[in-house]
Amino acid sequence: MNKNRTSESNSESLNPLQHRTILLGVSGGIAAYKACDLASMLRRAGAEVHAVLTPNAKEFVTPLSLMTMTRNTVHCSQFSFDGQWRPEHIELAKKADLVLIAPATADLLAKLANGICDDLLTTMVLATRAQVMLAPAMNPQMLEHPATQNNLAILQNRYRYEIIPSEIGEVACGDWGAGKMASLETIMATVGARLSSHRTLNGRQLLVTAGGTREPIDPVRFIGNRSSGKMGIAMADAAHARGADVTLVSTVEVDRPYPVILVETAFEMQEAVETEFDNCDALVMTAAVADFRPISVSEQKIKKTESEDIVLELTKNPDILDLLGRVKRKDQIIIGFAAESEALFTHATEKLRRKNLDVIVGNDITVPDIGFGSDDNAVIILTVDGGRENLSRMPKRAIAEHLCDILLGRFTALESPKVTK
Ligand code: CTP
């Protein structure tokens, strides 16, 4: 663990909002008038706040008020032109540590539950990888309606958005019941708790690999595989959001706020991983490394006129995980992956032991629509101490969050004093 980060970590644990970027979404209900106070409280707690208003929210609160409270430009339109080729709101969605929508109307919940993005706020929610928190506020009958309850269940259980429950009381229209937006104090406390619990990998050095290696045949051709890199990138994003110092070694080019080392071949990946390994607390090896490469690479493009058949002679690549499993220290954790087309449990167990891993994540590549290239996967997770879990189909980001929890548990276990009999 990097000792230099300790004092920074301490101040962050005392005030989890310090230096965090919060997108404050405001939708069009009467409780929107409270958004100005909320923005001010978040900013005074040290957060960098960017407000995003739906068109209806502007009927209740003005962009000028929110701009004054956040001290930042307020975003209202999907189509505003800010002179940048990359729209600023997508950049904001990417760099946000948390998206907080207060108030969240019944209409907004319905849109989010169905992936509708017909305004700036809903578009940003789809574009972000940050935790989304919603503080619903509406008439009690609207909240009780099965459609709203169904939408809340989808948002909470399927998308893992955090709902800050509304309170019981007299609502603006004079009705009594559940539907009042949670108090600003409750919202502040929930945001603080989420940001501090979300940084539980704070100060950990995480090395993640992603994508499939390409082994050149000649200047234009290569041997590749179907890996999209999505699992590794989801893992790196999840760990980064929880405060880990992430380094991603990837065959896929991505623009991220953490270091990304772009590689192509198994040899390049080996070199990058070996260089970084000593400094890491955990290695998560999601990459699909080619097991074989052509013995020789033609300097010139191989011409089809040269012969009817060509024979490619292949030789074995180094097994990066196997090599690192042999040299890993007791305080390091290695998570490997196993892509199998048969006998998943048997092969994954064998790789877990042979490569001296702490955890292996296995998936059956014959199941259609998941795994390679998909945003979802279904996996088994086996641990060296005999643990076994089956995760049914879910987004790769949700699998990554689960792996972060596993890492957390293992880091804690490594630090607890051993009981001697
Ligand atoms: N791996 C590696 N270096 C290789 C091959 C694989 O580091 N040359 C890593 C992968 O990143 C993955 C794990 O080993 O975390 C298992 O990869 P997989 O392709 O499932 O298994 P292999 O060990 O290559 O065995 P096989 O292809 O025979 O199933």
Side-chain angles (χ1 to χ4, degrees), residues 81-331:
F81 173 65
D82 54 17
Q84 310 284 328
W85 69 270
R86 214 197 301 246
E88 192 189 355
H89 56 267
I90 295 293
E91 288 298 287
L92 273 175
K94 277 189 189 166
K95 80 169 194 191
D97 292 302
L98 187 119
V99 175
L100 167 66
I101 304 184
T105 59
D107 176 63
L108 186 92
L109 299 179
K111 281 182 184 164
L112 293 181
N114 290 286
I116 294 172
C117 44
D118 62 350
D119 61 27
L120 182 62
L121 180 57
T122 46
T123 305
M124 287 172 90
V125 173
L126 272 198
T128 192
R129 294 178 194 81
Q131 175 67 41
V132 177
M133 298 179 91
L134 304 165
M138 66 198 76
N139 168 279
Q141 278 74 38
M142 291 171 74
L143 182 61
E144 267 175 31
H145 195 288
T148 308
Q149 289 301 315
N150 196 28
N151 292 332
L152 282 168
I154 291 173
L155 294 166
Q156 192 162 23
N157 304 331
R158 185 130 178 247
Y159 303 155
R160 310 273 168 126
Y161 292 176
E162 186 165 342
I163 312 293
I164 309 174
S166 33
E167 293 176 358
I168 297 174
E170 188 179 344
V171 292
C173 58
D175 283 0
W176 178 271
K180 254 170 94 75
M181 188 167 83
S183 72
L184 299 189
E185 291 69 29
T186 303
I187 295 177
M188 288 296 289
T190 317
V191 167
R194 166 56 68 170
L195 284 175
S196 48
S197 75
H198 226 67
R199 287 187 75 75
T200 41
L201 288 173
N202 204 358
R204 299 289 181 186
Q205 311 282 328
L206 221 76
L207 181 57
V208 182
T209 64
T213 63
R214 291 174 166 195
E215 310 299 327
I217 298 169
D218 69 12
V220 291
R221 303 179 181 98
F222 58 82
I223 298 176
N225 60 62
R226 294 181 194 278
S227 172
S228 62
K230 285 182 178 176
M231 185 64 234
I233 295 165
M235 183 66 210
D237 286 345
H240 173 75
R242 291 186 186 216
D245 288 331
V246 174
T247 301
L248 178 65
V249 177
S250 175
T251 63
V252 182
E253 206 172 342
V254 278
D255 181 17
R256 286 294 188 277
Y258 46 79
V260 179
I261 303 172
L262 195 60
V263 295
E264 188 175 332
T265 62
F267 265 129
E268 287 171 12
M269 183 167 279
Q270 180 190 9
E271 198 186 351
V273 173
E274 282 181 348
T275 307
E276 301 293 325
F277 186 67
D278 207 32
N279 282 329
C280 82
D281 297 307
L283 165 67
V284 185
M285 191 84 194
T286 77
V289 185
D291 289 325
F292 297 93
R293 68 178 187 282
I295 286 185
S296 63
V297 181
S298 168
E299 275 183 30
Q300 308 302 331
K301 185 181 172 201
I302 301 170
K303 291 303 219 182
K304 66 170 180 278
T305 47
E306 276 170 17
S307 64
E308 271 308 299
D309 306 305
I310 63 162
V311 177
L312 272 183
E313 263 197 291
L314 304 178
T315 183
K316 230 181 201 167
N317 267 332
D319 189 315
I320 305 171
L321 209 48
D322 192 275
L323 293 171
L324 293 173
R326 291 169 198 271
V327 298
K328 105 178 157 88
R329 300 188 308 265
K330 283 203 167 70
D331 63 342

